[in-house]
Amino acid sequence: MFSATPFKSILELIKAFPDEQSCIDHLERVLWDGTPVSPFDPASQVYKCKNNRYKCKNTNKYFNVKIGTIFEGTKISLQVWYMAMYIFSSHKKGISSHQLAKDLDVTQKTAWFILERLREAMNTESFKEEMEGVIEVDETFVGGKNRNRHHDKKVKNSQGRSFKDKTPVVGLLNREGNVRCFVVPDTSIESVQPIVRENVKKGSIVISDEWKAYKGLNNDYTHMVVEHGKGQYVNDEGGTTNSIENVWSNFKKGIIGIYHNRPTRKHLQGYADEFAFRYNTRKDSTDGRFNVLLSETKGKRLTYQNLIAK
């Protein structure tokens, strides 16, 4: 499906896509697999026109492969987009908009918009199949630490599970597969358990810590509890949440080390999707990961006005 020159370095990427036409041809292969599809009426017959344009017979409208994707309306060349996709997906802990702006020779505002659109694409449908087997579930809190704040900026009662100045994120990790992350308003049973039940097949093994939000999961799952409060990291049955905790460790290192400032609650889901995408494509080749991301650009257009809206 993704027939193109393989690449595993930025130099090979440039050789694989030396001009804009080669980028367009590859995008058509990835999104259409040889058969153009109208974004206005997928069932319609399509006519090929000049300059990479097509015509939808049923609606009489013209389109190109960028319509209905994160590239729609962009003034940036696909070559630059491809470079951004390679850099962003290959860096294990991400890249800041300031650094990407320097690498691509664009403004920081443009680089930030590119990254936000790519994060939108990283919320991939291919990773959303029902999870089964051995599933680790855990929650973390993303935000600043009081010990790092100036004395007049400390937040009272913000330790532990408090989310006065932090945002909770729930994660599900399949030992044999993928991880999913969900930004939630709180860590109550009403916020946590629906996520587990909607994403994990009944009868699976679910491993969690002793937090009260997980009580009752044993009605539908084989629920194993690791009592961290008692210094337990592997329970008597061999259950552990070490894998999902490693995901949280990398996630927070990326937020602190690369992005420095904590993302707002509005944008945090995009950052969570970004790190989940990297974990889920960890075994893919460089060009394989690139093509997975490219295939998810369809149907996920994000306008700048929607991005900055409160």
Side-chain angles (χ1 to χ4, degrees):
M1 178 181 175
F2 302 145
S3 55
T5 304
F7 57 86
K8 56 182 179 181
S9 69
I10 200 163
L11 180 59
E12 291 179 352
L13 174 77
I14 295 171
K15 291 180 178 179
F17 306 109
D19 52 37
E20 192 69 4
Q21 188 59 51
S22 62
C23 295
I24 293 172
D25 292 342
H26 186 63
L27 185 59
E28 290 183 354
R29 281 195 297 269
V30 171
L31 298 187
W32 291 340
D33 194 21
T35 305
V37 179
S38 169
F40 310 114
D41 184 353
S44 174
Q45 185 177 353
V46 171
Y47 301 115
K48 185 174 177 60
C49 305
K50 294 181 178 180
N51 300 321
N52 300 306
R53 297 171 73 219
Y54 298 84
K55 186 176 182 180
C56 173
K57 180 181 179 181
N58 291 353
T59 63
N60 211 34
K61 294 181 179 180
Y62 291 92
F63 64 94
N64 59 44
V65 70
K66 297 180 187 178
I67 300 298
T69 73
I70 67 171
F71 309 118
E72 182 177 348
T74 183
K75 296 180 180 179
I76 304 167
S77 69
L78 281 179
Q79 279 186 302
V80 173
W81 272 103
Y82 282 15
M83 191 77 68
M85 291 174 62
Y86 172 87
I87 294 171
F88 188 45
S89 62
S90 297
H91 287 208
K92 290 184 177 180
K93 291 183 174 63
I95 185 170
S96 71
S97 58
H98 291 277
Q99 184 60 54
L100 186 64
K102 293 179 181 178
D103 292 345
L104 300 181
D105 192 23
V106 298
T107 66
Q108 184 271 334
K109 178 180 176 181
T110 296
W112 178 68
F113 191 26
I114 288 174
L115 291 176
E116 287 299 312
R117 283 192 174 189
L118 292 179
R119 291 189 181 102
E120 184 80 3
M122 284 179 167
N123 182 13
T124 59
E125 296 300 322
S126 56
F127 300 145
K128 293 183 179 180
E129 295 179 358
E130 188 175 40
M131 307 173 85
E132 60 180 315
V134 180
I135 312 297
E136 296 181 20
V137 56
D138 192 32
E139 73 287 346
T140 192
F141 295 82
V142 179
K145 296 181 179 180
N146 260 346
R147 67 170 180 264
N148 296 332
R149 295 189 175 104
H150 196 266
H151 69 88
D152 61 347
K153 293 183 179 180
K154 294 187 183 298
V155 180
K156 293 183 179 181
N157 303 317
S158 65
Q159 296 82 7
R161 289 182 177 271
S162 169
F163 43 86
K164 289 179 64 176
D165 64 332
K166 301 176 185 178
T167 304
V169 184
V170 173
L172 299 172
L173 182 142
N174 187 329
R175 292 259 183 96
E176 303 299 325
N178 300 324
V179 67
R180 297 179 199 168
C181 303
F182 305 85
V183 174
V184 291
D186 53 57
T187 56
S188 66
I189 191 171
E190 292 81 10
S191 295
V192 174
Q193 287 209 17
I195 290 175
V196 177
R197 298 183 187 281
E198 289 169 11
N199 290 274
V200 181
K201 186 176 181 179
K202 289 185 178 181
S204 297
I205 298 173
V206 174
I207 308 174
S208 73
D209 59 21
E210 68 273 36
W211 179 237
K212 61 184 180 181
Y214 304 117
K215 291 182 179 179
L217 287 178
N218 58 313
N219 294 330
D220 296 310
Y221 306 97
T222 300
H223 185 201
M224 300 171 65
V225 178
V226 183
E227 299 187 79
H228 291 161
K230 296 181 179 180
Q232 186 183 65
Y233 295 95
V234 181
N235 66 13
D236 296 337
E237 300 168 297
T240 178
T241 57
N242 288 345
S243 295
I244 186 66
E245 287 167 10
N246 285 336
V247 171
W248 293 146
S249 176
N250 289 328
F251 180 35
K252 290 184 176 181
K253 286 177 182 177
I255 295 294
I256 296 170
I258 301 298
Y259 301 117
H260 303 302
N261 293 323
R262 173 175 63 88
T264 63
R265 288 176 185 262
K266 174 183 176 181
H267 297 298
L268 184 58
Q269 184 62 58
Y271 288 82
D273 292 335
E274 169 193 339
F275 281 85
F277 178 87
R278 287 201 189 88
Y279 180 88
N280 296 340
T281 58
R282 65 196 181 281
K283 296 180 181 179
D284 291 356
S285 61
T286 300
D287 56 325
R289 184 186 307 108
F290 175 92
N291 284 323
V292 169
L293 179 55
L294 193 61
S295 69
E296 293 290 342
T297 59
K298 187 176 181 180
K300 296 177 180 176
R301 191 187 177 201
L302 177 66
T303 66
Y304 191 76
Q305 291 304 316
N306 287 338
L307 183 60
I308 64 175
K310 294 183 180 180

